[in-house]
Amino acid sequence: TATNVRAALLTSAGQSRDLLLQRVAPRLGHRGDITGVVAIGAPTPTTAAQPQRTASVVAAPVSRVHPSIAAAKGLGANGEVAAAQAKGEPFHDHSGITDALDIAVIGLDLHGNITEWSRRLAEISGRTREELLGKSLFGNVTGLVAFERHEEVSTVMMEAQYGKDTNNYQLPLVASDGRSLELLVSVAPRRSSDGQIIGVIAIGQDITELNLQRREVERVADDLSRIIDTASAPIFGVDCEARVTVWNQKVAEISGHSYDEV
């Protein structure tokens, strides 16, 4: 970080305008790595005697890590499960696999009735397996999917019945207390021991809180962006390759260069 750095800005008319950069600091990514530089300053008279300082920024490689949630595509069914599904009976996972894993699992038969509801899903939704088994995912009694989302969700589930996998789908559900839940799931057909499709399985993670945090970060970032753009001080920023990433209205006014031009 450097303060009171004098810099020359070349205007669109070819003239040099002096800026006193009151603060020059590294711009950090979400993991704390340096992604660029941001400078905040004020125009100064070209004749004013200002102490000159030189600040250098060492460009570090930008590391961009995009976190993802890896979800399984299916859950094996043994002969006992296949027989129950073939008869149209609710499926009870006697192996306890889904309950042993901290993941959300929903199983449906070919009619959209719930055949599996994992322990983790019961915890986050407030709806128990016992009260939901055999009931429709889209029924008014369960109220698990908001009416306006029925068509979207049913389309994804229907595609799975025809053999199509859907990855990284944000499945909207409604908790027992009316809260909106969002699950990042992989949806796939569920097959019997002889390979016939007997239902649908959706496996994934609860990302409700993560999405709420992301939206709050986006809101704050949007507010900050507007504050920077309308600030009375010239503010600009560059990335590690010296490409302009921030260029507010004041610096555009001083330089005669719009953001699109730089």
Side-chain angles (χ1 to χ4, degrees):
T1 300
T3 58
N4 297 326
V5 177
R6 190 166 180 173
L9 190 67
L10 189 65
T11 70
S12 58
Q15 299 175 335
S16 180
R17 287 294 306 273
D18 284 349
L19 293 181
L20 179 63
L21 303 182
Q22 297 160 338
R23 183 177 179 84
V24 181
R27 195 169 190 177
L28 303 180
H30 70 280
R31 298 178 63 226
D33 51 333
I34 295 176
T35 61
V37 176
V38 64
I40 303 174
T44 60
T46 55
T47 57
Q50 298 285 352
Q52 296 191 21
R53 299 182 55 189
T54 301
S56 61
V57 178
V58 178
V62 179
S63 173
R64 294 183 175 88
V65 178
H66 301 282
S68 62
I69 300 176
K73 286 187 177 181
L75 186 64
N78 56 29
E80 183 177 298
V81 172
Q85 293 274 8
K87 295 176 184 177
E89 299 173 354
F91 162 54
H92 299 270
D93 186 5
H94 300 296
S95 67
I97 294 177
T98 60
D99 284 348
L101 300 175
D102 191 28
I103 55 176
V105 180
I106 302 175
L108 303 177
D109 63 18
L110 296 177
H111 303 290
N113 296 321
I114 297 170
T115 59
E116 177 55 31
W117 191 261
S118 68
R119 173 189 57 81
R120 177 59 180 155
L121 196 49
E123 290 175 354
I124 63 179
S125 69
R127 300 172 184 270
T128 66
R129 176 185 300 169
E130 290 71 25
E131 70 176 285
L132 293 177
L133 285 181
K135 296 178 181 177
S136 173
L137 179 66
F138 306 101
N140 293 329
V141 175
T142 59
L144 286 168
V145 179
F147 178 77
E148 62 271 16
R149 305 295 295 273
H150 276 194
E151 183 176 356
E152 170 200 332
V153 177
S154 61
T155 297
V156 173
M157 300 303 171
M158 185 64 68
E159 288 176 342
Q161 292 187 20
Y162 285 96
K164 179 183 176 181
D165 292 358
T166 300
N167 295 317
N168 297 325
Y169 173 62
Q170 293 196 28
L171 175 64
L173 294 178
V174 179
S176 60
D177 59 3
R179 288 179 298 112
S180 294
L181 303 175
E182 294 176 80
L183 308 179
L184 185 66
V185 300
S186 287
V187 184
R190 194 164 197 172
R191 300 179 184 274
S192 64
S193 56
D194 60 0
Q196 292 186 348
I197 295 176
I198 57 175
V200 174
I201 187 80
I203 303 180
Q205 298 283 352
D206 175 25
I207 59 169
T208 306
E209 186 62 30
L210 182 64
N211 278 347
L212 288 175
Q213 293 174 359
R214 175 181 57 80
R215 293 182 186 117
E216 178 61 16
V217 168
E218 290 174 349
R219 184 192 66 77
V220 172
D222 186 58
D223 289 345
L224 181 59
S225 178
R226 286 197 295 270
I227 291 172
I228 290 175
D229 194 47
T230 58
S232 59
I235 301 174
F236 64 90
V238 298
D239 63 16
C240 289
E241 297 179 4
R243 293 174 299 196
V244 175
T245 57
V246 177
W247 192 262
N248 77 343
Q249 294 178 23
K250 189 62 177 179
V251 76
E253 175 189 324
I254 294 171
S255 68
H257 294 290
S258 69
Y259 175 78
D260 292 335
E261 292 175 323
V262 297

